[in-house]
């Protein structure tokens, strides 16, 4: 191939490469949590938490996240939804690990007291995409999975 | 005449400047340098000297930090016996039994939340004796703290009628009478959370809690105000 013809081909390939694969989610934690709250079914009386409240609730080191928001129950159930915008990808990985630990501990706590909440915890949706971490505990596992995927991959 | 008038005005002004007490005719106490040392307690900006210890009712207080800055030591399902055995499921320390988390802390006020998980206990002495043990342990760790026993709040009409595990408003009232007696016998303050949250029928309003038992945000904040009032009353004494 003539080298002058190669350049447009290379440019086209570059454009395709940057456009291919998953799109980076363009969302704020607050907007994302509101979307989840609208789309999913929760049985508890839910209320929103700001960044500080969200980190406190999930025992997340605030320095790991630039921003976060959550929608949590009253304690009557284990239901909640949260979105974290981590400081970087490594921090996102740490947040995800902390949320796994949170889930295990809560399942342990609810096992004797309210065992009907345990399946919600063991089927919790936890997804990470770039710096975003989305976590959802609800009886509507399939709906949560779909909603979270749509958030992270619009 | 004008000069004499000026002299008297000057003398009066000098008297007033020398001390306001002289001009007013009354003896005034010196203004305190520290407003907190005045007779009335200073207005609180936080409750960092308060600890809430007990069962799942505290979860909602924790979620919303309803008693701003307080320490929350709790676990769902906690009762007066396993409080010495089970740790929290979140927070910095998930190894130490909940009640032992008071060790080394210096709260001025400790609110205890027990009774709801013990409603189904047929041996009521086990509950009242156990609660007395909890108070003794708390006082052992924090001898200077005022101890408060929170009454169990009402449940909704539907939950009361279902009466699962003896969870009904009549049973709760009976247990609260026990809690009140334990408070009296152990120099603790009884906090009447029941009447504070009940509607005209003596039930928790249907919209106050998703499960009819655990108050959500609005009623937790109402409960928190009761705790703050209790603190203010103790501090005024």
């Amino acid at each position: 191939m003539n080298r002058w013809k190669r350049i447009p081909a290379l440019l086209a390939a570059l454009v395709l490469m940057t456009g291919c694969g998953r799109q980076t989610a363009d969302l704020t934690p607050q907007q994302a949590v509101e979307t989840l709250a609208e789309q999913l079914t929760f049985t508890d009386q839910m209320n929103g938490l700001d960044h500080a409240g969200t980190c406190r609730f999930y025992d997340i080191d605030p320095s790991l996240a630039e921003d976060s928001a959550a929608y949590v129950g009253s304690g009557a159930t284990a239901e909640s939804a949260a979105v974290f915008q981590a400081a970087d990808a490594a921090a996102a990985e740490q947040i995800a690990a902390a949320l796994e630990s949170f889930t295990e501990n809560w399942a342990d706590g609810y096992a004797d007291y309210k065992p009907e909440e345990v399946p919600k915890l063991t089927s919790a949706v936890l997804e990470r995409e770039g710096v975003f971490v989305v976590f959802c505990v609800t009886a509507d596992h399939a709906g949560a999975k779909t909603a979270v995927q749509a958030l992270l991959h619009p | 005449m004008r000069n004499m008038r000026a002299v008297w005005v000057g003398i009066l002004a000098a008297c007033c400047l020398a001390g306001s007490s002289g001009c007013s005719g009354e003896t005034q106490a010196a203004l305190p340098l520290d407003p907190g040392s005045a007779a009335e307690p200073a207005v609180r900006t936080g409750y960092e000297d308060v600890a809430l210890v007990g069962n799942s009712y505290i979860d909602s207080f924790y979620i919303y930090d309803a008693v701003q800055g307080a320490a929350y030591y709790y676990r769902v399902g906690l009762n007066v016996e396993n409080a010495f055995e089970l740790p929290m499921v979140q927070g910095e320390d998930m190894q130490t039994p909940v009640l032992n988390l008071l060790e080394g802390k210096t709260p001025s006020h400790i609110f205890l939340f027990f009774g709801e998980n013990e409603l189904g206990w047929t041996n009521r002495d086990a509950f009242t004796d156990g609660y007395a043990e909890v108070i003794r342990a708390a006082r052992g760790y924090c001898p200077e703290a005022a101890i408060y026993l929170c009454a169990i709040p009402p449940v909704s009409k539907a939950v009361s009628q279902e009466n699962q595990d003896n969870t009904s408003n009549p049973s709760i009232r009976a247990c609260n009478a026990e809690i009140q007696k334990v408070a009296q016998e152990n120099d603790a303050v009884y906090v009447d959370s029941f009447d504070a949250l009940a509607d005209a029928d003596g039930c928790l309003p249907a919209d106050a809690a998703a499960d009819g038992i655990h108050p959500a945000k609005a009623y937790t904040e109402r409960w928190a105000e009761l705790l703050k009032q209790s603190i203010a009353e103790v501090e005024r004494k």
Side-chain angles (χ1 to χ4, degrees), chain A:
Chain A
M1 186 191 281
N2 185 307
R3 68 174 177 176
W4 296 110
K5 287 181 183 173
R6 268 187 225 154
I7 293 172
L10 284 170
L11 282 173
L14 189 62
V15 168
L16 280 171
M17 281 167 64
T18 54
C20 274
R22 293 177 171 176
Q23 298 177 26
T24 303
D26 180 19
L27 48 76
T28 69
Q30 184 61 43
Q31 291 168 339
V33 160
E34 287 171 2
T35 300
L36 290 173
E38 287 167 9
Q39 293 179 352
L40 300 179
T41 302
F42 295 97
T43 63
D44 204 342
Q45 282 195 18
M46 310 292 282
N47 280 284
L49 294 180
D50 61 12
H51 178 39
T54 300
C55 291
R56 167 192 173 82
F57 181 79
Y58 293 102
D59 279 336
I60 301 294
D61 179 353
S63 68
L64 293 175
E66 288 190 358
D67 192 14
S68 65
Y71 194 58
V72 302
S74 63
T77 74
E79 295 170 353
S80 72
V83 178
F84 295 84
Q85 183 176 353
D88 53 39
E93 197 171 333
Q94 290 183 63
I95 290 172
L99 290 170
E100 284 180 2
S101 180
F102 170 90
T103 306
E104 288 170 14
N105 293 331
W106 270 49
D108 185 43
Y110 272 95
D112 293 327
Y113 177 66
K114 262 191 175 182
E116 63 269 29
E117 294 300 308
V118 174
K120 296 177 189 176
L121 289 159
T122 55
S123 66
V125 175
L126 176 59
E127 298 275 346
R128 180 163 57 92
E129 178 69 24
V131 296
F132 288 96
V133 183
V134 184
F135 178 69
C136 208
V137 179
T138 170
D140 184 12
H141 169 74
K145 190 90 177 165
T146 302
V148 170
Q149 285 290 320
L151 266 181
L152 292 175
H153 312 295

Side-chain angles (χ1 to χ4, degrees), chain B:
Chain B
M1 177 65 85
R2 195 178 296 170
N3 285 341
M4 286 305 298
R5 195 178 296 160
V7 169
W8 281 113
V9 167
I11 291 171
L12 281 171
C15 285
C16 286
L17 285 172
S20 58
S21 58
C23 286
S24 68
E26 296 176 47
T27 300
Q28 275 185 344
L31 289 172
L33 292 174
D34 176 9
S37 66
E40 287 295 315
V43 174
R44 275 183 172 269
T45 56
Y47 294 88
E48 290 79 7
D49 61 339
V50 176
L52 279 63
V53 182
N55 58 31
S56 57
Y57 281 122
I58 298 176
D59 195 39
S60 196
F61 284 87
Y62 172 72
I63 290 169
Y64 304 113
D65 195 19
V67 183
Q68 297 84 1
Y72 303 93
Y73 305 130
Y74 72 99
R75 180 184 172 120
V76 291
L78 209 70
N79 60 46
V80 293
E81 289 183 353
N82 64 24
F84 294 91
E85 298 160 5
L86 297 178
M88 289 182 64
V89 296
Q90 64 197 91
E92 293 177 0
D93 185 343
M94 291 186 280
Q95 304 294 326
T96 305
V98 171
L99 199 55
N100 298 13
L101 289 170
L102 286 172
E103 187 174 11
K105 311 295 192 308
T106 54
S108 302
H109 308 269
I110 299 174
F111 287 86
L112 299 176
F113 291 68
F114 289 96
E116 195 264 344
N117 295 313
E118 297 92 321
L119 287 170
W121 291 13
T122 52
N123 182 350
R124 299 313 299 169
D125 287 343
F127 170 60
T128 53
D129 291 347
Y131 213 159
E133 276 301 313
V134 167
I135 296 169
R136 269 194 285 280
R139 201 161 268 144
Y141 289 132
C142 310
E144 304 300 319
I147 306 281
Y148 307 72
L149 307 194
C150 283
I152 306 167
V155 294
S156 69
K157 192 173 182 179
V159 168
S160 187
Q161 287 175 341
E162 194 179 336
N163 197 18
Q164 194 172 6
D165 295 326
N166 204 36
T167 302
S168 69
N169 287 318
S171 298
I172 289 173
R173 284 190 183 277
C175 187
N176 284 340
E178 294 171 335
I179 293 172
Q180 190 169 19
K181 189 162 180 284
V182 171
Q184 288 165 352
E185 292 173 351
N186 291 273
D187 194 26
V189 178
Y190 176 73
V191 181
D192 190 357
S193 324
F194 188 100
D195 283 346
L197 302 185
D199 61 16
D201 296 329
C203 301
L204 190 69
D207 62 349
D211 64 352
I213 299 174
H214 296 91
K217 187 177 182 190
Y219 274 71
T220 295
E221 288 175 342
R222 184 183 292 196
W223 196 350
E225 282 310 305
L226 179 64
L227 269 56
K228 293 172 188 176
Q229 285 168 21
S230 301
I231 291 170
E233 284 171 19
V234 165
E235 290 184 335
R236 270 197 287 272
K237 290 180 181 172

